[in-house]
């Protein structure tokens, strides 16, 4: 009888935990999240360690429970005793940043190391960043590479193409200067307006809404029923993209649509026959994996080629893979490299992953730990944890400054440059109460320096420019500093200073600028081997702008451009 009772209790505990954590995963709605924490507290009372971890997290970052750093620390210390890697990571963070304690880097390092050994990806990223930037441990590229590769592998396995384009993050400094700019978060008004258009029969709006609901994220919940609804509407109105997306839904299966390879194939075929690049690519994938048809690498290759001719980025990546592994073609690392490079220029994250691997192993290119680390870091930064940017930003917008600051600080520890700038920005605004007054400025300065070290890779390139006045006709070249990594904005402003005066363009943001900037980058790329990763990343960012503006023209989605950048 005793046994039955304890078994029932275990079951109840696990059910409570599962229900609570599923709610947290699926929604930002405050009331629902509060209810979820009620369930998790009950589960914690019954001894669920994982529920306790979630509660400690909520206390630390102030998610629907009143932020109480002391209470969070006590709970995490108890959990760390039991060996919880998450608790080790949190304690490392608390000691590294001096949250409620005096900063102690040695202690932080011990906790982070334990957590990383325990398999915690966040801690592994933090350690990699410390190794690669030489923060409180000596710079060690190879050690950084091992950890980053591990995390990148995990991230790459979870990525689908839909989530696999480098996305923009809200930069608070810019937001401050231009409060009306798009902020990377889906605007509710815009969403309502699209819904209105979609109901009125606007095909673009239907496809866009279908996509948004299919993928979720950026403040919008995933909803396969709504996705199916909008795609079906768009198919009736003649959209070939919607046909291909319906195929995707059947291919993946969900609550709304049963997994069905044959039906998926049928939709892909219909879209492909009408020349739709997404349909061509998906048909290639169907032949590659034998979904709904027998496997044929040769046929798959042909479809990828057709889609790649239409500049479909994922098809370029797939061609890279086929050349890399010799599927349907002779193995050819040079061609593989070419296609991965092409796809990565448009921000295809998995292409970055493959390139990183080639640099890490010295396949076809000269081995470069430095380049591999830079590329892997970017893959890692696309992990699910990057969603924290959204909650940090929402907290900031709602005036919950302490919660926002702590979340940005955690992301800063993980090596995100935008988070470092944002945390420093908040600290300088003196609105936070977490950090002691005499610590605020030094911490802000430290974060600015870390951010700057990541951004200001100084590369000197020569640019032939007879048009620039005041430098002498026979000078012929302008020496330019590219200060950047992911900051195409910075480059664009530099670019503006140096070139826009000379060229008669239509103003920033026009496609002319993109082309000019691209040429500018291409030259930098040729001029320095060291510049490879940073320039590639900057190019990717530019291509994303360009890519999405092209997609807009292809009647794909006009919101993408709005909220991607
Ligand atoms: C925070 O938690 C600690 C320890 O549980 C408790 O003593 C303290 O009263 C709490 N502070 C607030 C403001 O609730
Ligand atoms: C669809 O195809 C995949 C890949 O061949 C296979 O693993 C899966 O079981 C298939 N689904 C169904 C429902 O047959
Ligand atoms: C900061 O202030 C606290 C108390 O307000 C003090 O104990 C500490 O020594 C100060 N730190 C520095 C670096 O001045």
């Amino acid at each position: 009888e005793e046994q039955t009772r304890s078994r029932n209790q275990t079951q109840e505990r696990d059910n409570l935990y599962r229900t609570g954590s599923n709610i947290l995963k699926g929604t930002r709605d405050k009331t629902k999240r509060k209810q979820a924490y009620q369930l998790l507290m009950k589960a914690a009372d019954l001894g669920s360690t994982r529920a306790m971890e979630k509660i400690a997290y909520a206390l630390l970052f102030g998610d629907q429970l009143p932020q109480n750093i002391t209470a969070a620390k006590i709970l995490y210390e108890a959990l760390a005793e039991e060996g919880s890697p998450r608790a080790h990571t949190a304690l490392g963070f608390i000691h590294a940043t001096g949250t409620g304690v005096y900063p102690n880097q040695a202690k932080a390092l011990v906790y982070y190391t334990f957590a990383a050994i325990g398999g915690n990806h966040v801690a592994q990223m933090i350690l990699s960043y410390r190794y690669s930037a030489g923060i409180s441990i000596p710079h060690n590229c190879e050690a950084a590479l091992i950890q980053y590769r591990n995390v990148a592998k995990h991230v790459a396995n979870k990525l689908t193409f839909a989530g696999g384009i480098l996305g923009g993050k809200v930069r608070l400094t810019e937001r401050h200067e231009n409060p009306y700019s798009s902020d990377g978060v889906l605007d509710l008004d815009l969403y309502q307006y699209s819904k209105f258009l979609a109901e009125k029969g606007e095909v673009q709006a239907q496809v866009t809404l279908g996509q948004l609901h299919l993928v979720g994220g950026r403040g919008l919940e995933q909803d396969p029923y709504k996705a199916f609804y909008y795609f079906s509407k768009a198919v009736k109105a003649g959209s070939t993209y919607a046909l291909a997306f319906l195929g995707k839904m059947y291919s993946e299966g969900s609550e709304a649509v049963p997994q069905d390879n044959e039906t998926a194939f049928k939709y892909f075929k219909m879209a492909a026959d009408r020349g739709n690049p997404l349909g061509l690519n998906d048909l290639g994938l169907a032949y590659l994996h034998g979904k709904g048809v027998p496997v044929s690498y040769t046929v798959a290759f042909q479809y990828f080629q057709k889609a790649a001719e239409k500049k479909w980025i994922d098809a370029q990546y797939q061609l890279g893979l086929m050349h890399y592994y010799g599927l349907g073609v002779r193995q050819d690392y040079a061609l593989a490299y070419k296609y991965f490079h092409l796809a990565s220029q448009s921000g295809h994250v998995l292409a970055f992953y493959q390139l990183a691997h080639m640099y890490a192993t010295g396949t076809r290119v000269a081995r470069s730990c430095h380049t591999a680390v830079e590329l892997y870091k970017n893959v890692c930064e696309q992990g699910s944890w990057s969603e924290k940017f959204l909650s940090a930003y929402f907290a900031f917008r709602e005036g919950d400054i302490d919660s926002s600051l702590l979340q940005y600080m955690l992301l800063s520890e993980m090596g995100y440059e935008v988070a470092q700038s944002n945390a420093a920005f908040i600290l300088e605004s003196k609105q936070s109460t977490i950090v002691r007054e005499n610590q605020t400025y030094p911490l802000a300065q430290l974060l600015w320096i870390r951010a700057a070290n990541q951004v200001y890779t100084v590369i000197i390139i020569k640019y032939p420019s007879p048009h620039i006045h005041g430098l002498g006709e026979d000078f012929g070249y302008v020496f330019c500093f590219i200060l950047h990594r992911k900051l195409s904005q910075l480059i664009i402003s530099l670019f503006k200073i140096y070139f826009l005066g000379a060229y008669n363009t239509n103003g920033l943001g026009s496609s002319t600028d993109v082309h000019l900037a691209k040429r500018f980058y291409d030259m930098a790329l040729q001029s320095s081997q060291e510049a490879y990763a940073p320039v590639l990343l900057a190019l990717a960012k530019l291509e994303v702008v360009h890519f999405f503006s092209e997609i807009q023209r292809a009647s794909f989605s006009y919101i993408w451009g709005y909220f991607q950048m």
Side-chain angles (χ1 to χ4, degrees):
E1 200 175 310
E2 185 85 340
Q3 260 182 358
T4 327
R5 222 183 53 210
S6 88
R7 203 176 320 123
N8 285 344
Q9 227 174 41
T10 312
Q11 235 170 32
E12 191 192 342
R13 184 190 75 194
D14 293 348
N15 280 340
L16 283 166
Y17 170 76
R18 217 170 304 121
T19 317
S21 64
N22 278 341
I23 295 174
L24 287 184
K25 238 182 264 160
T27 183
R28 282 191 188 285
D29 183 273
K30 284 186 180 170
T31 325
K32 284 188 201 155
R33 287 183 83 84
K34 268 193 192 123
Q35 283 164 357
Y37 282 117
Q38 298 296 330
L39 298 177
L40 288 174
M41 291 225 220
K42 280 188 199 141
D45 282 342
L46 293 171
S48 163
T49 311
R50 286 184 300 172
M52 270 186 240
E53 286 174 347
K54 287 221 152 49
I55 288 164
Y57 183 90
L59 286 169
L60 182 58
F61 292 101
D63 180 17
Q64 308 316 322
L65 298 179
Q67 193 169 24
N68 185 335
I69 290 161
T70 316
K73 186 164 165 280
I74 293 169
L75 200 48
Y76 273 131
E77 274 164 355
L79 286 162
E81 292 272 310
E82 294 174 30
S84 152
R86 283 202 184 89
H88 280 125
T89 306
L91 288 171
F93 170 69
I94 286 171
H95 287 287
T97 51
T99 306
V101 293
Y102 282 104
N104 184 335
Q105 298 306 329
K107 248 189 184 164
L109 201 58
V110 172
Y111 279 122
Y112 283 150
T113 306
F114 271 123
I117 292 170
N120 186 276
H121 293 308
V122 172
Q124 287 168 350
M125 248 178 100
I126 291 172
L127 273 187
S128 315
Y129 174 59
R130 292 195 159 217
Y131 276 122
S132 70
I135 294 169
S136 71
I137 21 175
H139 169 81
N140 183 340
C141 188
E142 297 297 333
L145 180 63
I146 292 169
Q147 304 271 355
Y148 269 141
R149 182 160 47 193
N150 192 14
V151 181
K153 192 171 166 193
H154 164 82
V155 172
N157 282 338
K158 297 212 154 189
L159 272 183
T160 58
F161 179 62
I165 289 276
L166 294 180
K169 311 253 185 316
V170 181
R171 192 176 284 278
L172 294 179
T173 46
E174 278 162 19
R175 184 102 196 113
H176 187 64
E177 282 158 16
N178 182 9
Y180 301 107
S181 68
S182 136
D183 57 10
V185 177
L186 186 61
D187 191 304
L188 209 59
D189 290 340
L190 194 64
Y191 176 71
Q192 291 298 349
Y193 183 59
S194 306
K195 251 168 77 168
F196 168 74
L197 289 179
E199 293 305 331
K200 260 183 56 182
E202 183 84 40
V203 184
Q204 288 179 21
Q206 292 162 354
V207 176
T208 302
L209 285 174
Q211 272 179 282
L212 288 175
H213 283 295
L214 184 64
V215 181
R218 293 189 192 264
L220 195 72
E221 286 171 31
Q222 219 172 357
D223 186 335
Y225 291 100
K226 285 192 181 140
F228 188 78
Y229 168 78
Y230 285 116
F231 287 142
S232 305
K233 247 178 162 10
V235 163
K236 283 204 195 97
S239 162
T240 51
Y241 277 108
L243 271 176
F245 276 117
L246 272 187
K248 238 182 180 32
M249 290 197 75
Y250 278 103
S251 174
E252 281 163 14
S254 63
E255 302 155 45
V257 177
Q259 205 279 327
D260 183 342
N261 291 332
E262 278 72 29
T263 310
F265 184 83
K266 208 179 73 194
Y267 279 115
F268 292 150
K269 186 87 175 45
M270 280 194 278
D273 285 346
R274 289 157 71 180
N276 180 280
L278 179 57
L280 287 165
N281 191 57
D282 282 330
L283 210 51
L285 288 171
Y287 278 104
L288 181 65
H289 299 296
K291 291 183 102 175
V293 275
V295 174
S296 168
Y297 294 144
T298 325
V299 179
F301 189 85
Q302 285 162 0
Y303 279 116
F304 289 143
Q305 234 168 1
K306 279 187 194 150
E309 273 161 24
K310 291 178 187 272
K311 296 206 160 44
W312 197 253
I313 300 158
D314 194 48
Q316 296 167 347
Y317 167 73
Q318 299 296 341
L319 285 178
L321 280 183
M322 299 199 85
H323 283 295
Y324 191 91
Y325 293 106
L327 304 173
V329 279
R330 200 169 51 81
Q331 188 175 50
D332 185 335
Y333 289 137
L335 278 175
Y337 180 86
K338 182 189 137 189
Y339 281 112
F340 289 147
H341 183 85
L342 202 62
S344 70
Q345 284 201 342
S346 310
H348 196 294
V349 178
L350 292 175
F352 278 111
Y353 179 69
Q354 297 297 338
L355 282 176
H357 179 72
M358 292 182 89
Y359 277 98
T361 51
T363 306
R364 162 62 182 79
V365 289
R367 182 177 190 275
S368 165
C369 178
H370 174 76
T371 304
V373 158
E374 286 258 330
L375 296 174
Y376 274 136
K377 178 171 189 276
N378 251 267
V379 177
C380 295
E381 289 186 353
Q382 305 304 312
S384 55
W385 36 80
S386 68
E387 282 276 304
K388 203 182 299 304
F389 269 100
L390 209 56
S391 56
Y393 178 63
F394 281 145
F396 180 79
R397 237 174 29 178
E398 284 160 16
D400 198 351
I401 304 298
D402 285 339
S403 168
S404 176
L405 175 63
L406 265 196
Q407 295 184 63
Y408 280 132
M409 291 227 285
L410 178 60
L411 292 163
S412 300
E413 284 284 294
M414 294 168 78
Y416 286 92
E417 178 273 320
V418 177
Q420 291 165 344
S421 304
N422 287 354
F425 175 79
I426 293 178
L427 282 166
E428 279 188 350
S429 73
K430 296 215 163 103
Q431 295 177 66
S432 158
T433 58
I434 299 173
V435 179
R436 267 186 219 89
E437 206 171 337
N438 58 7
Q439 291 283 316
T440 304
Y441 185 64
L443 187 55
Q445 202 177 26
L446 182 76
L447 286 165
W448 281 129
I449 291 171
R450 285 187 188 166
N453 278 337
Q454 296 206 62
V455 173
Y456 299 92
T457 305
V458 179
I459 310 150
I460 301 175
I461 64 154
K462 289 195 233 170
Y463 195 92
S465 182
H467 304 286
I468 295 204
H469 305 296
L471 289 165
E473 288 297 312
D474 54 3
F475 188 74
Y477 291 104
V478 177
F479 289 86
C480 238
F481 298 91
I482 299 189
L483 314 167
H484 77 128
R485 223 174 73 114
K486 285 168 279 181
L487 278 187
S488 53
Q489 289 95 330
L490 238 185
I491 311 213
I492 287 174
S493 50
L494 256 189
F495 180 69
K496 192 158 109 182
I497 295 164
Y498 281 97
F499 299 111
L500 285 193
Y503 290 90
N504 204 359
T505 59
N506 310 323
L508 273 181
S510 73
S511 70
T512 340
D513 290 336
V514 175
H515 286 303
L516 278 174
K518 190 166 173 338
R519 220 164 70 209
F520 184 57
Y521 288 135
D522 282 339
M523 295 177 85
L525 207 52
Q526 284 159 16
S527 71
S528 157
Q529 203 39 43
E530 274 296 284
Y532 181 77
V535 170
L536 188 65
L537 292 166
L539 265 177
K541 190 87 197 250
L542 268 181
E543 277 290 321
V544 172
V545 185
H546 194 52
F547 169 66
F548 282 104
S549 62
E550 279 204 342
I551 285 213
Q552 281 174 30
R553 255 176 274 133
S555 84
F556 194 36
S557 77
Y558 50 92
I559 299 186
W560 272 115
Y562 185 89
F563 77 99
Q564 273 287 335
M565 291 311 298

